[in-house]
């Protein structure tokens, strides 16, 4: 803290928590559950707060801070990720210029990873709360009237008064041992853009369900080199099954919404298959119509295969599966500690059981070769992901988050020193020139075509669903219906076909690309060999005749590209 230091008010402080903008709009926006836990914890102990979620705003951060009056608070806390750090600092500097006595607190993965750097470089930041925030933040707001106590709080880093302003790092605070003592994340946020209704279409029950996100555990005992969870710590803890059920019932009553699907947002829900079964069975007993989904690793799927049939009986619909790559060298760099054959075996097991897969994949990293990309392409085809949507997995590249071993690995490999405030652009770091050109061309295809494909797929599939449900279809005959079914399949395949054609061409020194540009690689689709544009036009024509001129909630442009 600066020599004068923020002077805390003797009255109950006005507290705000901010989820800053990452600089682009994300169509999959959800409430910041970490801040919600923190706000609920403080309120339970007599310190209410206001929440502001600007996560997907593309507006200037200072304009947002002014619009929502963030300079009117005594304490403003920011939950900081690499992508949102500069927005956080811009807001913090503006608040300090308007209200010097406001205590600015940063927390979250990025703040934890570079806490000393932040305090040393940015005079607008008074305190960094490291790792978990509930207990430390409570001590911070309780100590506002006592600067000496404020400087002794475990789990915080602050600026020494006077002198050279060097950071003072207090001892780490133990992790919260009993997550069931933390109240449900019942907090409301002022959002600049609002939240879409969270739903899940249950194909087993054939209906759309209201959905709720619940976090039933914290951290993960594994050490994947790219994972931001490592910055917070690997101490895995979980909640009791009855508390998970109680949270579902609480939010049903609170929101007057009959939630019937639970998205578990745990970093790794399946660490303990026994506990996973307890949670699933408790939910199923509370409401047999409940379905749920979670994320985990491929090796855990195989180790606990015997538990999966019972989980499915209790409502398991899909698993977000951290496959990441089908290349053994890439898996080694990512410290996944599995072989490509394990990835394939896990996928085949889930397919046999009829459990859907949500695919987590890292297509490219800086050291990727064309052979690595070929291994990925062959895996996606062999594992049955040719019909998988969304197509985001085709375009992903490894992000080097601060505090992760993979960032250190590449810093040493390249003899570089990355600015702690920045994320290196993953799409400009490829060692192999052919991979760089492959990525540039693939991203050009994404910018030009992927939104159009997504929207056409939505229209076509909505039309097919209506026709299957007995809709009249405005005179669509059987032949047009069958053609629409084929066209939808072709649209699903189109990005994969382009991907493979581009890879083939890259392996031949880009002969086709040099001769005719991207258009020379675009696939001809269907038995009548239509261009991609012609196929989209035909699909949309049939969808319009079925009554779908617009797509509810149609996706927007892909954020970073």
């Amino acid at each position: 803290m600066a020599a004068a230091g923020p002077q805390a008010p003797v009255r109950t402080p006005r507290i705000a928590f901010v989820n800053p903008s990452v600089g682009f709009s994300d169509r999959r926006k959800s409430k910041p559950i970490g801040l919600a836990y923190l706000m609920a914890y403080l309120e339970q102990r007599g310190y209410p707060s206001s929440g502001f979620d600007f996560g997907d705003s593309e507006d200037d951060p200072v304009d947002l801070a002014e619009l929502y009056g963030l300079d009117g608070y005594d304490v403003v806390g920011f939950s900081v990720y690499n992508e949102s750090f500069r927005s956080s600092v811009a807001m913090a500097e503006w608040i300090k210029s308007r209200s010097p006595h406001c205590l600015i607190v940063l927390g979250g993965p990025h703040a934890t990873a570079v806490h000393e750097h932040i305090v040393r470089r940015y005079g607008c930041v008074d305190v960094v709360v490291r790792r978990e925030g509930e207990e430390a933040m409570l001590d911070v707001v309780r100590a506002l009237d006592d600067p000496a106590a404020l400087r002794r709080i475990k789990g915080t880093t602050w600026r020494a008064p006077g002198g050279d302003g060097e950071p003072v790092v207090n001892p780490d605070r133990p992790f919260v041992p009993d997550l069931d003592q933390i109240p449900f994340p019942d907090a409301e946020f002022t959002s600049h853009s609002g939240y879409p209704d969270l739903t899940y279409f249950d194909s087993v029950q054939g209906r759309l369900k209201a959905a709720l996100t619940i976090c039933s555990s914290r951290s993960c005992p594994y050490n994947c080199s790219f994972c931001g969870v490592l910055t917070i710590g690997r101490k895995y803890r979980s909640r009791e099954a009855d508390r998970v059920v109680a949270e579902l019932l609480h939010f049903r009553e609170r929101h007057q919404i009959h939630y019937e699907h639970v998205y578990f947002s745990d970093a790794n829900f399946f660490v303990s298959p026994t506990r996973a079964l307890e949670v699933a069975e408790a939910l199923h007993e509370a409401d047999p119509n409940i379905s749920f989904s979670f994320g985990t690793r491929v090796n855990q799927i195989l180790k606990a295969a015997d538990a999966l049939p019972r989980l499915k009986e209790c409502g398991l619909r899909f698993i977000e599966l951290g496959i990441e790559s089908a290349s053994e060298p890439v898996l080694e760099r990512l410290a996944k500690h599995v072989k490509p054959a394990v990835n394939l075996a896990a996928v085949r097991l889930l397919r046999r059981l009829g459990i859907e897969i949500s695919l987590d994949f890292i297509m490219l990293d800086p050291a990727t070769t064309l052979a690595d990309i070929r291994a990925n392409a062959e895996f996606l085809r062999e594992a049955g992901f040719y019909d998988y949507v969304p197509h985001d997995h085709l375009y992903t590249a490894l992000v080097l988050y601060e505090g992760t071993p993979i960032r250190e690995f590449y810093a040493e490999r390249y003899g570089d020193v990355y600015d702690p405030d920045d994320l290196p652009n993953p799409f400009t770091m490829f060692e192999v020139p052919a991979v760089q050109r492959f990525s540039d061309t693939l991203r050009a295809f994404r910018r030009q075509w992927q939104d159009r494909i997504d929207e056409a797929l939505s229209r076509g599939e909505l039309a097919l669903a209506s026709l299957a449900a007995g809709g009249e279809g405005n005179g669509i005959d059987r032949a047009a219906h069958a053609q629409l079914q084929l066209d939808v399949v072709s649209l699903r395949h189109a990005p994969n076909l382009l991907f493979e054609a581009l890879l083939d061409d890259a392996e031949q020194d880009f002969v086709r690309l040099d001769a005719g540009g991207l258009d020379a690689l675009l696939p001809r689709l269907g038995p009548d060999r239509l261009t991609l544009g012609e196929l989209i036009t035909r699909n949309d024509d049939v969808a319009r005749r079925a009554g779908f001129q617009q797509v509810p909630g149609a996706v927007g442009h892909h954020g970073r590209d």
Side-chain angles (χ1 to χ4, degrees), residues 418-487:
Y418 302 129
D419 189 317
D421 298 347
D422 292 333
L423 273 177
N425 184 343
F427 295 104
T428 62
M429 298 181 66
F430 303 115
E431 298 176 7
V432 179
V435 172
Q436 183 67 63
R437 190 175 184 190
F438 173 90
S439 173
D440 292 344
T441 307
L442 188 64
R443 292 173 69 218
F445 170 80
R446 186 187 196 191
R447 288 191 297 270
Q448 184 175 346
W449 288 102
Q450 190 63 58
D451 284 338
R452 295 177 63 187
I453 292 170
D454 290 342
E455 292 163 1
L457 266 175
S458 296
R459 283 189 285 268
E461 289 175 347
L462 284 169
L464 289 174
S466 175
L467 293 169
E472 295 182 4
N474 295 325
I476 295 176
D477 58 23
R478 183 175 298 178
H481 186 182
Q483 185 63 64
L484 181 61
Q485 290 175 312
L486 292 174
D487 289 350

Side-chain angles (χ1 to χ4, degrees), residues 449 452-453 456-457 483-495 497 523-543:
W449 288 102
R452 295 177 63 187
I453 292 170
L457 266 175
Q483 185 63 64
L484 181 61
Q485 290 175 312
L486 292 174
D487 289 350
V488 164
V489 171
S490 294
L491 285 170
R492 282 176 170 261
H493 291 177
L497 292 169
R524 291 277 181 165
L525 300 160
D528 41 1
R529 306 281 294 165
L530 295 183
T531 67
L532 184 52
E534 290 169 340
L535 183 73
I536 289 173
T537 298
R538 183 166 70 186
N539 172 90
D540 290 353
D541 176 64
V542 177

Side-chain angles (χ1 to χ4, degrees), residues 37 68 143 169 195 214 250 426 456 487 523 547:
Y37 272 116
Y68 291 98
V169 181
Y195 298 98
I214 293 178
H250 169 84
D487 289 350

